[in-house]
Amino acid sequence: MYAVCLDLEGVLVPEIWIAFAEATGIPELKKTTRDEPDYDKLMKYRLAILKEHGLGLKEIQDVIATIDPMDGAKEFLDALHEFTQVIIISDTFSQFAKPLMRKLGWPTIFCNELVVAENGEITDFKMRCEKSKLTTVKALQSAGIETIASGDSFNDLGMIQNSKAGFLFKTTDQIKADYPNIPAFETYDELLAVIKAVIEE
């Protein structure tokens, strides 16, 4: 049995923090896991900027409500679901993901939780587990499930490199250059075809 494990942001939907940075005019918030491999460091940096500008969960959710999945993303998921299990493994937060999951047809997602004060300030974040993407892939494998993984950022490399097959998708030129041994694709049709080929081997 197989499970296809996909990243969310940059793969199925636009980057939430980049959209929020553009909506608020705060360019510092454009930094993502493509730029900063240390997720803990990145989130503390983001929370400090939010506090400095007096921005909280509601402001981010208002922007998320305007975000649509990438063109073809829902159709890609629908096509995958016809022949395999699919799990989205994301370092985003449940408070961000829900409206996006609705637009994608409610796929299964494993993600993290924000700690939010009564006034809406995001005060902290709780990771589901350490190295959540790699840990989840290994847990699936321990349950007898082969994994195929795809993502676009540094924090996806663990699950990509430790799966039966792993692919970069819509990633940066730098990551492609640093990891030339990982096949990289730009379209859902390409990714769907290669996943199907692995499962049918």
Side-chain angles (χ1 to χ4, degrees), residues 66-78:
T66 70
I67 296 174
D68 287 321
M70 293 177 175
D71 286 345
K74 184 176 185 303
E75 292 78 7
F76 168 67
L77 286 178
D78 289 346

Side-chain angles (χ1 to χ4, degrees), residues 4-192:
V4 174
C5 301
L6 300 172
D7 180 33
L8 177 64
E9 294 177 67
V11 172
L12 299 169
V13 304
E15 293 279 354
I16 291 168
W17 288 97
I18 290 177
F20 188 61
E22 289 170 351
T24 56
I26 304 171
E28 295 90 344
L29 287 173
K30 285 189 176 180
K31 189 182 285 190
T32 71
T33 49
R34 290 178 169 199
D35 313 300
E36 173 53 70
D38 186 332
Y39 192 72
D40 188 68
K41 182 178 173 183
L42 177 63
M43 275 306 300
K44 285 174 179 170
Y45 167 83
R46 288 167 168 168
L47 295 189
I49 293 170
L50 292 178
K51 189 174 181 69
E52 179 189 336
H53 290 271
L55 296 167
L57 179 60
K58 182 186 182 303
E59 289 78 11
I60 300 174
Q61 287 178 327
D62 286 347
V63 171
I64 292 171
T66 70
I67 296 174
D68 287 321
M70 293 177 175
D71 286 345
K74 184 176 185 303
E75 292 78 7
F76 168 67
L77 286 178
D78 289 346
L80 280 175
H81 277 126
E82 289 182 12
F83 62 89
T84 188
Q85 300 296 313
V86 182
I87 301 170
I88 298 172
I89 307 175
S90 174
D91 279 339
T92 194
F93 304 95
S94 60
Q95 295 95 330
F96 291 0
K98 190 173 180 181
L100 297 168
M101 294 305 98
R102 181 181 294 113
K103 292 179 181 181
L104 286 169
W106 298 111
T108 299
I109 184 169
F110 296 165
C111 59
N112 304 308
E113 293 281 330
L114 291 169
V115 179
V116 184
E118 283 187 19
N119 66 356
E121 180 187 350
I122 301 170
T123 58
D124 203 355
F125 57 98
K126 290 181 183 175
M127 302 300 282
R128 189 169 47 81
C129 55
E130 193 176 345
K131 295 182 179 174
S132 61
K133 298 188 182 194
L134 174 59
T135 302
T136 303
V137 157
K138 288 192 168 179
L140 288 166
Q141 291 163 355
S142 74
I145 298 169
E146 290 273 21
T147 59
I148 300 170
S150 186
D152 69 321
S153 296
F154 286 107
N155 63 338
D156 299 313
L157 293 169
M159 72 172 182
I160 289 171
Q161 292 170 318
N162 287 275
S163 289
K164 177 171 182 180
F167 311 105
L168 291 166
F169 187 70
K170 294 184 184 288
T171 191
T172 64
D173 289 340
Q174 185 62 57
I175 292 176
K176 278 192 264 194
D178 289 347
Y179 297 89
N181 58 318
I182 303 175
F185 300 101
E186 295 296 323
T187 72
Y188 292 121
D189 285 347
E190 291 173 318
L191 188 57
L192 183 66

